[in-house]
Amino acid sequence: MILVPELETVIILVPRTGSGSLRRAIAEKYPRSTLIYRHMEADGVPAGYDRWRKVGVVRHPIARLWSLYKFLRNFDGDHDPSYIDAMRKSVSMSFSDWIIENRVPFTTPYDSAGHGRFWPQYTVRHPLPENRKSQFMYLRPDLGTEILQFSHMATIEHRFGINLRRHNETRKAPLPDLTLTALEHCHQYFRWDFSAWEGEAL
């Protein structure tokens, strides 16, 4: 979640919707902007700032999960080793099985190693695993959030007056055929996501 005083806008950062690229571009364009939470949902906007406009990006739900799955298989970076290990282990199964079986939240402030540590910047109101967490829960259009489309990058750039450069892009790999059970799971949990997405064919 980014507070942008210059625009009186709160940007909701949904995982694997270009959020890393958007965060960097906003910081470059708007020096007063502040990242207060990495992936807080729209119902977690701090008091007072809830009067500002809220904006977020939606992506095709299966494409988003596939992107996250690939991202976690090679997960690394400036994170606690126990968290890295937990993320990698969470995807030690097929994509279809992960869609159905995963129980590990991607974003949580709590210590994966059990040492009682806490990282407030990763706080969310709904710490569900991403394979069960609709983008509706992040964006909350019922609270007035403006929805932008991941597949319409030019619109996003124009909306904020920025130039987006890809960051954390996963390697190109064809989407594997999903089992019927995995497809049914997606349509059960991501009904809103399918209806909100207006991009090209998956």
Side-chain angles (χ1 to χ4, degrees), residues 49-193:
Y49 296 102
D50 51 0
R51 292 174 177 262
W52 286 4
R53 291 183 297 275
K54 294 181 290 294
V55 182
V57 177
V58 69
R59 185 176 185 179
H60 186 287
I62 296 176
R64 187 178 85 88
L65 292 180
W66 177 231
S67 177
L68 179 61
Y69 178 85
K70 293 185 294 177
F71 178 68
L72 294 180
R73 288 184 73 87
N74 298 294
F75 191 65
D76 207 343
D78 185 24
H79 298 282
D80 185 81
S82 60
Y83 176 69
I84 293 173
D85 185 56
M87 292 300 102
R88 288 185 175 181
K89 283 182 178 176
S90 74
V91 289
S92 60
M93 60 186 85
S94 73
F95 182 49
S96 283
D97 287 345
W98 178 79
I99 286 175
I100 301 164
E101 302 295 337
N102 178 54
R103 296 295 185 272
V104 181
F106 175 57
T107 301
T108 173
Y110 299 104
D111 188 1
S112 301
H115 299 305
R117 295 170 295 180
F118 187 82
W119 291 274
Q121 67 271 29
Y122 293 106
T123 300
V124 293
R125 290 178 60 87
H126 311 282
L128 296 170
E130 295 299 313
N131 55 312
R132 293 170 180 265
K133 188 171 183 177
S134 168
Q135 292 168 88
F136 179 90
M137 298 183 74
Y138 284 107
L139 298 171
R140 291 298 302 273
D142 58 321
L143 297 179
T145 306
E146 176 188 348
I147 308 297
L148 301 175
Q149 297 286 329
F150 176 83
S151 55
H152 302 164
M153 286 295 176
T155 302
I156 298 172
E157 290 180 324
H158 182 264
R159 173 67 176 76
F160 296 112
I162 57 175
N163 293 312
L164 287 171
R165 293 183 293 275
R166 292 296 180 114
H167 181 80
N168 279 342
E169 189 174 13
T170 57
R171 62 179 176 79
K172 300 293 184 187
L175 178 71
D177 291 333
L178 294 181
T179 63
L180 179 59
T181 306
L183 280 172
E184 289 173 345
H185 175 101
C186 289
H187 284 281
Q188 175 184 351
Y189 283 92
F190 306 118
R191 184 173 301 146
W192 178 86
D193 309 57

